[in-house]
Amino acid sequence: MKKIVLIIVIVLVLLPLHLFAGGQKDAADANKYEIVTVVKITGIPWFNRLEEGVDAAAKDLDVNAYQIGPSDADPAQQVKMVEDLISKGVDAICITPNDATALEPVFQKAREKGILILTHESPDQAGKDVDIELIDNVEFGRHTWDMLVKYMGDKGQYAIFVGGLTVPLHNLWADEGLKYAKEHYPGLELVTSRIPCGEDQELAKQKTLELLKTYPDLKGIIGFGSLGPPGAAQALKEKGLAGKVAVVGNVIPGHAAPYLKDGSMSHGVLWDPKDAGYSLTYVAKYLLDGGSLADLKEIPGIGAVVVDGDVIKVDAMADITKENVDSFGF
């Protein structure tokens, strides 16, 4: 009998300790920063890769970080997602905008609630706290035109694809490239205004077929938006024009590999979107911890940073060719 009583006493002593330990764990989880990345469109290779960076940062930094995004590149859906996150009371929202202007009012609401706003691919975004760029955007635009000329020559007709006419960075690259081309490559002829299809490979393919029919002398296509260049390359391959029309732009290496190797795409330029996802989450936590932008010198695993006002810059531009496309690992 004494033995049974002793066991009951031990259980009664240990049980509350066990429950208390569990409660501490739950409280710790609840106290983690909630940092949410909202991408332009979910489920495409570029943003799947970016999500890998968000997940890696969540693990390394012990924060509740995750990624969401609309099913298509619809600015209204992004605005609705930010409104929902404000209602939820998250700590920071990291976002690649589909429409910089459409997001301004909801960014203001977020900041009034004390929520940090970090953007990527939108350095001139009004209403943000910080923007993070993995490249020098002016140089990126100019370099893309240099690559176009490398493969099509400095004379002839070409066209430009962008993800959307309101996507900030795609249109900034186009603006900077066009200014650069006017001075350095006056023989280039832009056949039509920029075409919004860089986030949809099938649409890029259809637009390329239309361009080839309307402009049979077309010699080049610049694609901003990671699915634009593969779509253009797919059309050229189907028409037997691989290598006869130059295609350059930003792409995921693994996605572009078959087109680069068969010659239907000429050259890719990019940064690793995984680095962007990691950097956004890292800087969000750094600022939530009370860190100052002026003191930020590097992002671990990514590299040294330059802080220019409220824009953080990392020099991570990379060229992708048929020779090195398999070396990127994604």
Side-chain angles (χ1 to χ4, degrees):
M1 183 64 182
K2 287 182 179 178
K3 187 175 181 181
I4 294 173
V5 171
L6 179 61
I7 291 172
I8 291 173
V9 170
I10 291 172
V11 169
L12 289 175
V13 168
L14 292 180
L15 186 58
L17 291 174
H18 169 72
L19 291 175
F20 180 69
Q24 277 191 315
K25 185 176 186 302
D26 292 341
D29 284 345
N31 289 330
K32 287 182 177 179
Y33 293 131
E34 187 168 3
I35 301 169
V36 186
T37 294
V38 184
V39 294
K40 293 177 191 170
I41 181 170
T42 195
I44 67 172
W46 186 273
F47 291 115
N48 290 344
R49 178 69 177 174
L50 193 144
E51 189 171 22
E52 291 181 33
V54 173
D55 292 344
K59 183 178 179 182
D60 289 354
L61 306 173
D62 193 27
V63 294
N64 179 19
Y66 56 92
Q67 178 173 302
I68 60 175
S71 57
D72 57 46
D74 178 4
Q77 286 192 51
Q78 269 197 325
V79 170
K80 178 65 169 57
M81 286 182 166
V82 173
E83 288 176 337
D84 290 345
L85 293 172
I86 295 170
S87 298
K88 192 177 180 185
V90 302
D91 296 291
I93 298 171
C94 310
I95 185 165
T96 51
N98 277 315
D99 186 331
T101 303
L103 286 163
E104 287 181 25
V106 77
F107 282 178
Q108 181 61 33
K109 290 181 186 176
R111 296 181 72 183
E112 288 170 359
K113 296 286 186 181
I115 299 171
L116 277 177
I117 295 293
L118 295 89
T119 55
H120 173 52
E121 300 188 22
S122 193
D124 297 325
Q125 176 73 55
K128 69 181 182 305
D129 289 288
V130 178
D131 177 82
I132 301 174
E133 299 300 320
L134 273 290
I135 54 170
D136 180 320
N137 288 305
V138 173
E139 180 57 30
F140 189 89
R142 293 175 176 179
H143 183 66
T144 305
W145 258 256
D146 285 338
M147 293 302 100
L148 177 73
V149 167
K150 177 179 178 179
Y151 292 97
M152 71 166 270
D154 62 1
K155 295 181 177 60
Q157 298 180 335
Y158 75 107
I160 304 171
F161 292 166
V162 291
L165 297 178
T166 59
V167 173
L169 205 49
H170 295 179
N171 290 283
L172 173 61
W173 295 335
D175 290 342
E176 292 297 334
L178 287 169
K179 283 191 290 186
Y180 179 70
K182 186 176 181 180
E183 181 178 356
H184 293 82
Y185 304 121
L188 294 181
E189 178 190 351
L190 183 65
V191 294
T192 185
S193 54
R194 57 197 76 170
I195 301 167
C197 63
E199 310 291 5
D200 185 327
Q201 182 165 334
E202 180 60 27
L203 182 58
K205 174 188 163 184
Q206 292 301 323
K207 291 296 182 183
T208 301
L209 293 173
E210 293 171 14
L211 281 168
L212 294 170
K213 187 174 181 180
T214 307
Y215 305 101
D217 295 328
L218 192 75
K219 294 179 66 177
I221 295 173
I222 284 176
F224 294 136
S226 64
L227 297 180
Q234 193 177 349
L236 295 175
K237 187 175 181 179
E238 288 183 10
K239 299 296 285 184
L241 294 173
K244 296 181 180 178
V245 177
V247 176
V248 303
N250 63 305
V251 287
I252 289 286
H255 192 199
Y259 304 111
L260 286 164
K261 290 176 181 177
D262 70 19
S264 54
M265 184 177 170
S266 311
H267 192 94
V269 191
L270 91 163
W271 63 97
D272 187 346
K274 180 180 178 182
D275 290 345
Y278 193 97
S279 298
L280 285 164
T281 306
Y282 177 86
V283 174
K285 181 178 184 296
Y286 174 83
L287 295 175
L288 288 168
D289 282 341
S292 116
L293 274 185
D295 294 333
L296 182 64
K297 303 302 179 190
E298 70 169 341
I299 299 173
I302 309 300
V305 306
V306 173
V307 179
D308 181 7
D310 58 6
V311 177
I312 297 171
K313 299 178 181 178
V314 182
D315 182 11
M317 184 167 69
D319 289 294
I320 312 170
T321 65
K322 62 181 180 181
E323 288 80 15
N324 71 0
V325 67
D326 292 329
S327 67
F328 288 88
F330 66 95

